[in-house]
Amino acid sequence: MKKFVLSLLTIFVLSFTVLPIAFGADNGSDTAASVKKADDFKDLKELSQDEKDKFDALIQDGVFSGLSDDTFGLDVKMNRAQFAKVAAIIFNLKSDEALTTSSFTDVRSDDPANSYALPYIEALKEAGLTNGYDAEGKTYKPEGDVSRQELAAFLIRGLGLDDDAKSATPVEDNSVDDWAKGYVALALEKNLMTNQADGTFGGKVSATRKTLALASYEAKQLLAGATPDDPTTPATPVPTTEPDDEPAAPSGEISPEGKKMLYIARQSNQMQQLKSSPDDEKIIADMKDLGFKVTWINCDKFTAEKAEGYDIIFVSNTVNAKYLRSGIMKDIAIPTIYLKNHGLYYLGLSSQEENTEENNIQTISITQPKEKAAAGLTGDVEYLRKTDNKTAIAYGLPGKEAKVIATIPGKPKEATIFYYNKGSHANNGYEVKARLSFFSFVGDYDNSTDDMWKLLDALVLWTLQNG
């Protein structure tokens, strides 16, 4: 396991050198962790379902338990002793429960508050993940708080992304100390943490058990190759195909199994909106069900260089269009699905930018039923379960070399699903570097029909073939 060297250049590294990827243990009582659920704790009952699922996973894995039988302690500050326990569990470090003496003078077996953490702290030291609290490495300070910016640094360093943090564009946030701005920027980009309700990160604010728990879940998922904010998908290895199994894709086609998808989502300061509008989470879960290995990035953190190494890109409808306006996508030769017509417009692949929505309709018309991207559907297909004057189906106005799969009913120029093949051209002459597709939607995925999801999956898989 990678060892991290104590730096004398910053107060942070002098003060905190435990470098785990997850934090948030309780005071040492684990007896109920395997049988408890989030709804058993009165202060977890009102959380959103996706957060409950994350807490359930952490509780059932023995990473967390409550402060009492019916109270989890969401807003309670977490100290370095609790921090050490979770780090040891997440890293699967061997700890000696029989230990009664510590390498640190302030970690004692007779400490009524923190003695439980002694074997975990020693496990961290043995693994090279801590040098203690002070410069001489004599003390650990088990009762000390962990600030939000320190947590961000722990997460990023623990994931082996220290060099990335040093080269990241620092956050412009006065609540964060200069040394931590790169770490905070990367923690936000990886969706390991989010800003506070006031829009700032609150770097010096002590992290609560809720913050530490959710951050530990996201880091654990990322380490396992999963995507932030997916509480339902365990980190399990991809099964190998036995000789008699059916292939994952028809002969000659690319299977999505294990393919790397970069999912570009809303900008960083809008992440709190996921609680009320979890559309990105739902699409990511669907993509993972198809077999993709999904990584999510905020649109304000995206650069062309960060797309390197991916097999397919998915541009969410939650993206702020201004980040596409610069033409950032024009030289990227990776198959891409757009849920935002603006992305096609900025490449010259759709002739209208704004006002490309139709209200008060529920269906789209399949124009090319024999195309694989049509998912075997024909005629007018119900897209939305219900509609009104505030609910819309989006469209684009593609060029002559586009392949149109579906349109707004009765309006053949308004394409709701279309794609451009690699090597085809926009009307302005732009040459397509890889298959680019547009899929119509404006949001509210609970209002989507099964046929809508079927069409989305079919278009994504077709785009992956990159013809």
Side-chain angles (χ1 to χ4, degrees):
M1 187 172 293
K2 184 176 180 179
K3 294 188 178 183
F4 300 100
V5 181
L6 182 65
S7 167
L8 299 178
L9 300 178
T10 65
I11 295 176
F12 162 68
V13 184
L14 286 173
S15 301
F16 289 89
T17 54
V18 179
L19 304 173
I21 62 162
F23 322 96
D26 55 76
N27 59 5
S29 176
D30 289 331
T31 56
S34 61
V35 297
K36 286 284 188 180
K37 293 182 67 67
D39 282 332
D40 295 325
F41 297 100
K42 59 187 179 182
D43 53 346
L44 299 184
K45 287 183 178 180
E46 300 306 316
L47 295 178
S48 62
Q49 188 57 51
D50 64 304
E51 288 184 334
K52 285 185 183 180
D53 290 339
K54 293 172 187 178
F55 277 93
D56 279 340
L58 292 168
I59 292 168
Q60 290 167 17
D61 285 347
V63 181
F64 282 85
S65 61
L67 296 183
S68 68
D69 193 51
D70 66 349
T71 303
F72 183 85
L74 280 182
D75 298 324
V76 173
K77 296 176 183 178
M78 179 163 289
N79 63 33
R80 287 166 54 87
Q82 297 162 346
F83 180 102
K85 178 180 177 180
V86 175
I89 292 173
I90 295 298
F91 276 122
N92 197 28
L93 302 180
K94 183 178 180 180
S95 58
D96 184 355
E97 301 293 337
L99 277 179
T100 58
T101 58
S102 171
S103 305
F104 303 107
T105 59
D106 57 350
V107 178
R108 306 185 309 276
S109 60
D110 61 352
D111 180 351
N114 300 308
S115 59
Y116 74 91
L118 190 154
Y120 302 115
I121 294 170
E122 289 304 301
L124 292 182
K125 181 176 175 62
E126 179 67 23
L129 296 180
T130 182
N131 289 320
Y133 175 76
D134 61 326
E136 292 77 24
K138 294 181 178 179
T139 61
Y140 179 78
K141 198 178 182 181
E143 75 287 354
D145 289 346
V146 178
S147 72
R148 285 172 55 84
Q149 64 187 14
E150 288 163 347
L151 173 57
F154 290 146
L155 292 169
I156 296 304
R157 286 172 177 262
L159 289 168
L161 299 174
D162 197 31
D163 289 342
D164 294 55
K166 291 174 181 176
S167 62
T169 302
V171 292
E172 296 180 1
D173 188 335
N174 291 333
S175 73
V176 179
D177 287 336
D178 287 344
W179 69 263
K181 288 184 174 179
Y183 295 106
V184 169
L186 202 54
L188 291 171
E189 176 184 318
K190 297 294 183 183
N191 198 37
L192 300 174
M193 299 177 71
T194 62
N195 284 326
Q196 299 186 117
D198 64 0
T200 69
F201 187 77
K204 302 178 187 66
V205 176
S206 294
T208 63
R209 279 169 57 87
K210 179 179 181 180
T211 301
L212 290 160
L214 293 177
S216 70
Y217 178 88
E218 308 299 2
K220 189 170 183 281
Q221 293 295 96
L222 189 59
L223 186 71
T227 300
D229 290 297
D230 181 12
T232 60
T233 306
T236 54
V238 177
T240 57
T241 302
E242 297 298 329
D244 294 333
D245 288 349
E246 289 188 5
S251 178
E253 289 192 5
I254 300 171
S255 168
E257 196 67 51
K259 291 294 183 292
K260 296 172 64 179
M261 172 182 283
L262 181 63
Y263 188 98
I264 307 175
R266 67 191 75 209
Q267 62 195 56
S268 303
N269 63 6
Q270 294 178 330
M271 294 310 296
Q272 290 294 328
Q273 294 178 11
L274 281 177
K275 295 180 179 179
S276 59
S277 180
D279 41 6
D280 286 315
E281 287 185 327
K282 293 181 180 180
I283 298 178
I284 287 175
D286 181 62
M287 293 299 103
K288 292 177 73 175
D289 285 344
L290 289 178
F292 288 104
K293 182 178 178 181
V294 186
T295 299
W296 130 336
I297 188 173
N298 300 108
C299 57
D300 52 321
K301 304 296 183 182
F302 174 73
T303 63
E305 290 75 19
K306 291 180 179 179
E308 293 178 3
Y310 287 92
D311 300 295
I312 192 167
I313 298 173
F314 195 112
V315 180
S316 170
N317 64 306
T318 63
V319 166
N320 188 329
K322 72 179 183 180
Y323 295 107
L324 301 174
R325 189 174 292 125
S326 65
I328 193 172
M329 305 295 291
K330 65 183 178 62
D331 294 321
I332 295 177
I334 300 172
T336 302
I337 300 96
Y338 290 88
L339 263 63
K340 195 119 181 163
N341 174 59
H342 299 71
L344 282 299
Y345 172 79
Y346 298 136
L347 296 176
L349 300 171
S350 180
S351 60
Q352 187 171 320
E353 178 182 11
E354 303 286 354
N355 301 316
T356 54
E357 300 172 0
E358 291 283 355
N359 298 86
N360 288 311
I361 61 172
Q362 293 177 256
T363 63
I364 63 170
S365 296
I366 303 295
T367 59
Q368 297 292 332
K370 293 184 179 181
E371 286 264 359
K372 290 187 177 181
L377 301 174
T378 62
D380 287 351
V381 174
E382 189 173 86
Y383 217 56
L384 304 179
R385 300 181 188 279
K386 59 183 179 179
T387 190
D388 53 40
N389 59 10
K390 293 183 179 178
T391 304
I393 293 179
Y395 62 85
L397 299 176
K400 60 185 179 181
E401 294 192 28
K403 305 291 185 179
V404 177
I405 304 301
T407 66
I408 297 292
K411 298 185 177 182
K413 292 184 179 180
E414 297 181 359
T416 55
I417 302 175
F418 62 91
Y419 66 89
Y420 284 85
N421 282 326
K422 178 181 179 181
S424 60
H425 295 83
N427 289 351
N428 67 359
Y430 169 77
E431 182 173 329
V432 176
K433 308 295 189 300
R435 181 171 281 163
L436 304 180
S437 302
F438 171 75
F439 187 84
S440 164
F441 211 66
V442 179
D444 188 15
Y445 289 86
D446 284 332
N447 190 27
S448 304
T449 65
D450 290 343
D451 282 344
M452 195 285 301
W453 286 106
K454 186 183 294 186
L455 286 164
L456 175 60
D457 291 350
L459 185 66
V460 171
L461 295 177
W462 178 241
T463 305
L464 178 66
Q465 308 311 311
N466 192 25

Coordinates of all heavy atoms in Angstrom, one line a residue, residues 310-342:
Y310 N -11.4 7.3 -22.6 CA -12.8 6.9 -22.5 C -13.3 6.3 -23.8 O -12.9 6.7 -24.9 CB -13.7 8.0 -22.0 CG -13.5 8.3 -20.5 CD1 -12.6 9.3 -20.1 CD2 -14.2 7.6 -19.6 CE1 -12.4 9.5 -18.8 CE2 -13.9 7.8 -18.2 CZ -13.0 8.8 -17.8 OH -12.8 9.0 -16.5
D311 N -14.2 5.3 -23.7 CA -14.8 4.7 -24.9 C -16.0 5.5 -25.4 O -16.3 5.4 -26.6 CB -15.2 3.3 -24.6 CG -14.0 2.4 -24.1 OD1 -13.1 2.2 -24.9 OD2 -14.0 2.0 -23.0
I312 N -16.7 6.2 -24.6 CA -17.9 6.9 -25.0 C -18.1 8.0 -24.0 O -17.7 8.0 -22.8 CB -19.1 5.9 -25.0 CG1 -20.3 6.5 -25.7 CG2 -19.4 5.4 -23.6 CD1 -21.4 5.5 -26.0
I313 N -18.8 9.1 -24.5 CA -19.1 10.3 -23.6 C -20.6 10.5 -23.6 O -21.2 10.3 -24.7 CB -18.4 11.6 -24.2 CG1 -16.8 11.4 -24.1 CG2 -18.8 12.8 -23.4 CD1 -16.1 12.5 -24.8
F314 N -21.1 10.9 -22.5 CA -22.5 11.1 -22.4 C -22.7 12.6 -21.8 O -22.2 12.9 -20.7 CB -23.2 10.1 -21.4 CG -24.7 10.1 -21.4 CD1 -25.3 9.0 -21.9 CD2 -25.4 11.2 -21.0 CE1 -26.7 8.9 -22.0 CE2 -26.8 11.1 -21.0 CZ -27.5 10.0 -21.5
V315 N -23.3 13.5 -22.6 CA -23.5 14.8 -22.2 C -24.9 15.0 -21.7 O -25.9 14.9 -22.5 CB -23.2 15.8 -23.3 CG1 -23.4 17.3 -22.9 CG2 -21.8 15.6 -23.9
S316 N -25.1 15.2 -20.4 CA -26.4 15.3 -19.8 C -27.1 16.6 -20.2 O -26.6 17.6 -20.5 CB -26.2 15.3 -18.2 OG -27.4 15.6 -17.6
N317 N -28.5 16.5 -20.0 CA -29.3 17.7 -20.3 C -29.1 18.7 -19.1 O -29.6 19.8 -19.2 CB -30.7 17.3 -20.5 CG -31.3 16.7 -19.2 OD1 -30.8 15.7 -18.7 ND2 -32.4 17.3 -18.7
T318 N -28.5 18.3 -18.0 CA -28.3 19.2 -16.9 C -27.0 20.1 -17.1 O -26.8 21.0 -16.3 CB -28.1 18.5 -15.6 OG1 -26.9 17.6 -15.6 CG2 -29.3 17.6 -15.3
V319 N -26.3 19.9 -18.1 CA -25.0 20.6 -18.4 C -25.4 22.1 -18.7 O -26.4 22.4 -19.4 CB -24.3 20.0 -19.6 CG1 -23.2 21.0 -20.1 CG2 -23.6 18.7 -19.2
N320 N -24.6 23.0 -18.2 CA -24.8 24.4 -18.5 C -24.2 24.6 -19.9 O -23.0 24.4 -20.2 CB -24.0 25.3 -17.5 CG -24.3 26.8 -17.7 OD1 -24.5 27.3 -18.9 ND2 -24.3 27.6 -16.7
A321 N -25.0 25.0 -20.9 CA -24.6 25.1 -22.3 C -23.4 26.0 -22.5 O -22.7 25.8 -23.5 CB -25.8 25.6 -23.1
K322 N -23.2 27.0 -21.6 CA -22.0 27.9 -21.9 C -20.7 27.1 -21.9 O -19.7 27.6 -22.5 CB -22.0 29.0 -20.8 CG -21.6 28.5 -19.4 CD -21.6 29.7 -18.5 CE -21.1 29.3 -17.1 NZ -21.0 30.5 -16.2
Y323 N -20.7 26.0 -21.3 CA -19.4 25.2 -21.3 C -19.2 24.5 -22.6 O -18.1 23.9 -22.8 CB -19.4 24.3 -20.1 CG -19.3 25.0 -18.7 CD1 -20.4 25.0 -17.9 CD2 -18.2 25.7 -18.4 CE1 -20.4 25.7 -16.7 CE2 -18.2 26.4 -17.2 CZ -19.3 26.4 -16.3 OH -19.3 27.1 -15.2
L324 N -20.2 24.4 -23.4 CA -20.1 23.7 -24.7 C -19.9 24.8 -25.8 O -19.4 24.4 -26.9 CB -21.4 22.9 -25.0 CG -21.7 21.8 -24.0 CD1 -23.1 21.2 -24.4 CD2 -20.7 20.7 -24.0
R325 N -20.2 26.0 -25.5 CA -20.2 27.1 -26.5 C -18.9 27.3 -27.1 O -18.7 27.8 -28.2 CB -20.8 28.4 -25.9 CG -21.1 29.5 -26.9 CD -21.8 30.6 -26.3 NE -23.1 30.3 -25.8 CZ -23.6 30.4 -24.6 NH1 -22.8 30.9 -23.6 NH2 -24.9 30.0 -24.3
S326 N -17.8 27.1 -26.3 CA -16.5 27.4 -26.8 C -16.0 26.4 -27.9 O -14.9 26.6 -28.5 CB -15.5 27.3 -25.6 OG -15.4 25.9 -25.1
G327 N -16.8 25.4 -28.1 CA -16.4 24.4 -29.1 C -15.4 23.3 -28.5 O -14.7 22.7 -29.2
I328 N -15.6 23.1 -27.2 CA -14.7 22.2 -26.5 C -14.7 20.8 -27.0 O -13.8 20.0 -26.9 CB -15.0 22.3 -25.0 CG1 -13.9 21.6 -24.2 CG2 -16.3 21.6 -24.7 CD1 -14.0 21.8 -22.7
M329 N -15.9 20.4 -27.7 CA -16.0 19.1 -28.1 C -15.6 18.8 -29.6 O -15.6 17.7 -30.0 CB -17.5 18.7 -28.0 CG -18.1 18.9 -26.6 SD -17.4 17.8 -25.4 CE -18.0 16.2 -25.9
K330 N -15.2 19.9 -30.3 CA -15.0 19.8 -31.7 C -13.9 18.8 -32.2 O -14.0 18.2 -33.2 CB -14.9 21.1 -32.4 CG -13.6 21.9 -32.0 CD -13.6 23.3 -32.6 CE -12.3 24.1 -32.2 NZ -11.1 23.5 -32.6
D331 N -12.9 18.7 -31.3 CA -11.7 17.9 -31.8 C -11.7 16.5 -31.0 O -10.7 15.8 -31.1 CB -10.4 18.6 -31.5 CG -10.3 19.9 -32.4 OD1 -10.7 19.7 -33.6 OD2 -9.8 20.9 -32.0
I332 N -12.7 16.2 -30.3 CA -12.7 15.0 -29.5 C -13.3 13.9 -30.4 O -14.4 13.9 -30.9 CB -13.6 15.1 -28.2 CG1 -13.0 16.1 -27.3 CG2 -13.8 13.8 -27.6 CD1 -13.8 16.4 -26.0
A333 N -12.4 12.9 -30.6 CA -12.8 11.8 -31.5 C -13.3 10.6 -30.7 O -12.7 9.4 -30.8 CB -11.6 11.4 -32.4
I334 N -14.3 10.8 -29.9 CA -14.9 9.7 -29.0 C -16.4 9.7 -29.3 O -17.0 10.8 -29.3 CB -14.6 10.0 -27.6 CG1 -13.0 10.0 -27.3 CG2 -15.2 8.9 -26.7 CD1 -12.7 10.4 -25.9
P335 N -17.0 8.6 -29.5 CA -18.5 8.5 -29.7 C -19.2 9.3 -28.5 O -18.8 9.1 -27.3 CB -18.8 7.1 -29.7 CG -17.5 6.4 -30.1 CD -16.4 7.2 -29.5
T336 N -20.1 10.1 -28.8 CA -20.8 11.0 -27.8 C -22.3 11.0 -28.0 O -22.8 11.1 -29.1 CB -20.2 12.4 -27.9 OG1 -18.8 12.4 -27.8 CG2 -20.8 13.3 -26.9
I337 N -23.0 10.9 -26.9 CA -24.4 11.1 -26.9 C -24.7 12.4 -26.2 O -24.2 12.7 -25.1 CB -25.1 10.0 -26.0 CG1 -24.8 8.6 -26.7 CG2 -26.6 10.2 -26.0 CD1 -23.7 7.9 -26.0
Y338 N -25.6 13.3 -26.8 CA -26.0 14.5 -26.3 C -27.5 14.5 -25.9 O -28.3 14.1 -26.7 CB -25.8 15.7 -27.3 CG -24.4 16.0 -27.6 CD1 -23.7 15.4 -28.6 CD2 -23.7 17.0 -26.9 CE1 -22.4 15.7 -28.9 CE2 -22.4 17.4 -27.2 CZ -21.7 16.7 -28.2 OH -20.4 17.1 -28.5
L339 N -27.8 14.9 -24.7 CA -29.1 15.1 -24.3 C -29.4 16.6 -24.4 O -30.5 17.1 -23.9 CB -29.4 14.6 -22.9 CG -30.0 13.2 -22.8 CD1 -29.1 12.2 -23.4 CD2 -30.4 12.9 -21.4
K340 N -28.5 17.4 -24.9 CA -28.6 18.8 -25.0 C -28.4 19.2 -26.5 O -27.3 19.1 -27.0 CB -27.6 19.5 -24.1 CG -27.9 20.9 -23.8 CD -28.1 21.2 -22.4 CE -28.4 22.6 -22.0 NZ -29.0 22.7 -20.7
N341 N -29.4 19.8 -27.1 CA -29.3 20.2 -28.5 C -28.2 21.2 -28.7 O -27.6 21.3 -29.8 CB -30.7 20.8 -29.0 CG -30.6 21.3 -30.4 OD1 -30.3 20.7 -31.3 ND2 -30.9 22.6 -30.5
H342 N -27.9 22.0 -27.7 CA -26.9 23.1 -27.8 C -25.6 22.5 -28.3 O -24.8 23.0 -29.1 CB -26.7 23.8 -26.5 CG -27.9 24.5 -26.0 ND1 -29.0 23.8 -25.5 CD2 -28.2 25.8 -25.9 CE1 -29.9 24.7 -25.1 NE2 -29.4 25.9 -25.3

